Amino acid sequence: MKKIVVLLMVVSFSMGLSAQNEEKLPRVLLETDSGNIKIALYDETPKHRDNFIKLVKEGFYNGVLFHRVISNFMIQTGDSLSRHAPAGKLLGEGEYEKYSLPAEICFPKIFHKRGAVAAAREGDDVNPLRNSSMCQFYIVWGKKFDDNMLDNVEERIAKNTGSPFRFSQEQRDVYRTRGGTPHLDAQYTVFGEVVEGMEVVDKIQWAKTDENARPTTDIRIKRVTIIE
């Protein structure tokens, strides 16, 4: 199986919880050795929500590393082989994964604003339906975009998806003021967002990494629990 990654495209480069009642959304707590991150899971993506909750209850994420970190972009985790991986080992290949999840892309309602939690996947060349990894996910950091940069992203997404593409004014406002990774919109399933602990995400995304974007000093998720 080819490496499961989040595509980093070269581009010329507040909102609440996706119009949902945040008090009713299921939440999970990621306790990491860099601090705690609280995530709310969206009801609009029930297959991803339920699968994530199932894996959390099984303890799947306890002890895994953030194995791919790119500053001003995202932090990725969920490879079970990372728990005992020696330093420098390439991670994220996904050969052990038993299933994939059908895409639940809810764009334009849900998009890649800073703090979005989304499923990693294999590339379109081997995964044209854009099915998600059963377990690997990323948290968006990204950066702020101006209108010219967003115009360029629109052109690239239209080319990649083969259909006309435009950001709404609301999305443009968010990407200008809050930031994110708009070039991933309509291509990956966003299934939640960080509601507490973005300072921890910020800290992790600046980690020193090797040529495979793996942090040179391990950054580990100690435990993940359902809290609401």
Side-chain angles (χ1 to χ4, degrees), residues 129-171:
L129 297 180
R130 296 175 174 150
N131 292 334
S132 299
S133 162
M134 63 167 273
C135 53
Q136 294 189 47
F137 67 95
Y138 60 95
I139 301 174
V140 170
W141 184 259
K143 61 182 182 181
K144 295 178 182 179
F145 287 70
D146 62 27
D147 282 322
N148 287 334
M149 296 157 72
L150 290 170
D151 290 344
N152 290 335
V153 174
E154 285 179 339
E155 293 178 6
R156 288 175 177 270
I157 293 178
K159 181 178 179 180
N160 288 337
T161 59
S163 60
F165 183 91
R166 288 290 183 270
F167 293 113
S168 68
Q169 188 59 50
E170 179 184 42
Q171 291 161 345

Side-chain angles (χ1 to χ4, degrees), residues 60-183:
F60 181 93
Y61 293 111
N62 297 345
V64 301
L65 302 179
F66 283 97
H67 65 269
R68 187 168 182 256
V69 171
I70 301 175
S71 61
N72 293 316
F73 184 39
M74 60 90 223
I75 62 176
Q76 184 173 336
T77 186
D79 183 349
S80 90
L81 300 182
S82 68
R83 288 191 187 90
H84 307 295
K89 178 178 175 58
L90 176 63
L91 298 169
E93 295 293 324
E95 291 94 340
Y96 64 91
E97 296 190 15
K98 299 177 181 178
Y99 57 89
S100 62
L101 297 174
E104 294 180 295
I105 298 170
C106 297
F107 186 85
K109 181 178 183 181
I110 299 174
F111 54 100
H112 281 78
K113 63 187 178 184
R114 179 167 290 175
V117 178
R121 65 173 179 84
E122 292 184 314
D124 289 359
D125 55 337
V126 295
N127 180 28
L129 297 180
R130 296 175 174 150
N131 292 334
S132 299
S133 162
M134 63 167 273
C135 53
Q136 294 189 47
F137 67 95
Y138 60 95
I139 301 174
V140 170
W141 184 259
K143 61 182 182 181
K144 295 178 182 179
F145 287 70
D146 62 27
D147 282 322
N148 287 334
M149 296 157 72
L150 290 170
D151 290 344
N152 290 335
V153 174
E154 285 179 339
E155 293 178 6
R156 288 175 177 270
I157 293 178
K159 181 178 179 180
N160 288 337
T161 59
S163 60
F165 183 91
R166 288 290 183 270
F167 293 113
S168 68
Q169 188 59 50
E170 179 184 42
Q171 291 161 345
R172 282 179 172 266
D173 290 343
V174 171
Y175 284 134
R176 282 197 305 254
T177 61
R178 178 171 176 172
T181 56
H183 52 288

Side-chain angles (χ1 to χ4, degrees), residues 17 20-27 40-41 43 49 228:
L17 284 169
Q20 301 184 74
N21 185 338
E22 61 178 279
E23 294 181 357
K24 296 182 179 180
L25 296 178
R27 299 190 181 195
L41 304 176
D43 289 334
R49 177 200 63 205
E228 297 178 27

